[in-house]
Amino acid sequence: MLKSNLAVLMAERGLKIADVYEQTGISKTTLMSLADNKSKGVQFETIDKLCNFFGIDVSQFFVYSPYLIKYIDKVDGQVMRITSGGEVNNFYFRYFEISSDEDLTDDDKFGDPQKEYDYYISIMLETLGEYDNFDKVYNNLNIWFQKNVTEELFKRTIDIFKEGHQSKKGKYLCAFNIGVNRKCVYREKEIQV
């Protein structure tokens, strides 16, 4: 995977897209696409202008990790397919949802203990045996890519929740438990369905 460091470079210098646009003449659309890593390609001239503007070389503009990651949505979770060289690893993350405080013991609850959540939602690797293989891959990822994996799982978990609750319109306060690399990342989010 190849990602641009544009957002980091701008943040370090206190710059906004408009500032970079004014100084380089590169379109705001192109800059936003690069900063959000949504771009499918970029011209060498654009990279050259940005590297000159920031006073860096190309290796500082891009972050590279020798993995391709693809997400495949399933009804009760998602498969993360990680390819490196000729090796393909599929990791199945299973989605679990519990609908009220009464369904959990105090030891099982996560999130802020002072709050009452409408739903507790977990997404974890399906089998414990997958953790060793996942750890090997995950630990070799650059920190940016590790964060991206967690954020993508969180976003996709919200999508699964919304899809499963289309008939129950409303706002729901949810506590999330995202199991990545033998660690749990806890999040809280109010979701409008």
Side-chain angles (χ1 to χ4, degrees):
M1 288 190 303
L2 185 66
K3 300 289 182 187
S4 109
N5 245 347
L6 182 58
V8 173
L9 294 165
M10 290 189 316
E12 288 172 347
R13 293 159 176 80
L15 297 171
K16 295 184 174 145
I17 294 285
D19 301 324
V20 179
Y21 160 73
E22 288 173 14
Q23 296 292 316
T24 65
I26 298 168
S27 79
K28 290 179 184 178
T29 304
T30 298
L31 292 169
M32 284 189 288
S33 181
L34 281 169
D36 292 340
N37 282 294
K38 304 267 188 215
S39 180
K40 298 288 182 198
V42 62
Q43 295 181 355
F44 289 130
E45 180 182 349
T46 301
I47 299 303
D48 187 44
K49 279 184 186 179
L50 289 168
C51 286
N52 281 311
F53 174 73
F54 287 109
I56 60 172
D57 65 37
V58 174
S59 69
Q60 294 167 299
F61 187 80
F62 290 108
V63 177
Y64 177 72
S65 189
Y67 297 96
L68 296 174
I69 299 177
K70 180 180 179 182
Y71 297 90
I72 304 162
D73 293 330
K74 300 288 184 185
V75 174
D76 60 349
Q78 50 202 282
V79 173
M80 182 186 304
R81 177 170 292 154
I82 302 178
T83 306
S84 180
E87 188 176 337
V88 177
N89 289 289
N90 291 311
F91 301 103
Y92 182 66
F93 285 83
R94 188 165 173 79
Y95 175 89
F96 300 95
E97 174 183 304
I98 298 173
S99 61
S100 69
D101 286 342
E102 292 83 40
D103 295 335
L104 289 172
T105 67
D106 285 341
D107 291 339
D108 292 332
K109 292 180 182 177
F110 47 88
D112 184 342
Q114 304 302 314
K115 293 188 178 178
E116 291 200 24
Y117 295 99
D118 297 306
Y119 290 93
Y120 290 89
I121 300 166
S122 290
I123 188 150
M124 304 281 196
L125 278 170
E126 167 100 315
T127 61
L128 292 176
E130 291 182 305
Y131 277 102
D132 289 336
N133 288 333
F134 185 77
D135 285 353
K136 285 179 199 171
V137 173
Y138 186 85
N139 290 332
N140 283 322
L141 293 173
N142 168 291
I143 188 78
W144 189 93
F145 292 106
Q146 289 178 358
K147 181 178 182 278
N148 186 262
V149 163
T150 304
E151 291 301 317
E152 189 64 27
L153 282 172
F154 180 58
K155 181 176 102 21
R156 289 173 174 274
T157 302
I158 291 170
D159 292 343
I160 291 170
F161 177 83
K162 285 180 175 180
E163 189 173 309
H165 291 80
Q166 285 300 314
S167 63
K168 302 177 195 173
K169 301 288 185 198
K171 284 185 183 177
Y172 301 99
L173 183 59
C174 300
F176 290 87
N177 176 17
I178 304 163
V180 177
N181 197 30
R182 298 182 199 251
K183 297 175 190 158
C184 292
V185 177
Y186 299 104
R187 299 273 171 83
E188 176 182 301
K189 184 166 180 71
E190 187 171 72
I191 300 173
Q192 176 74 46
V193 180

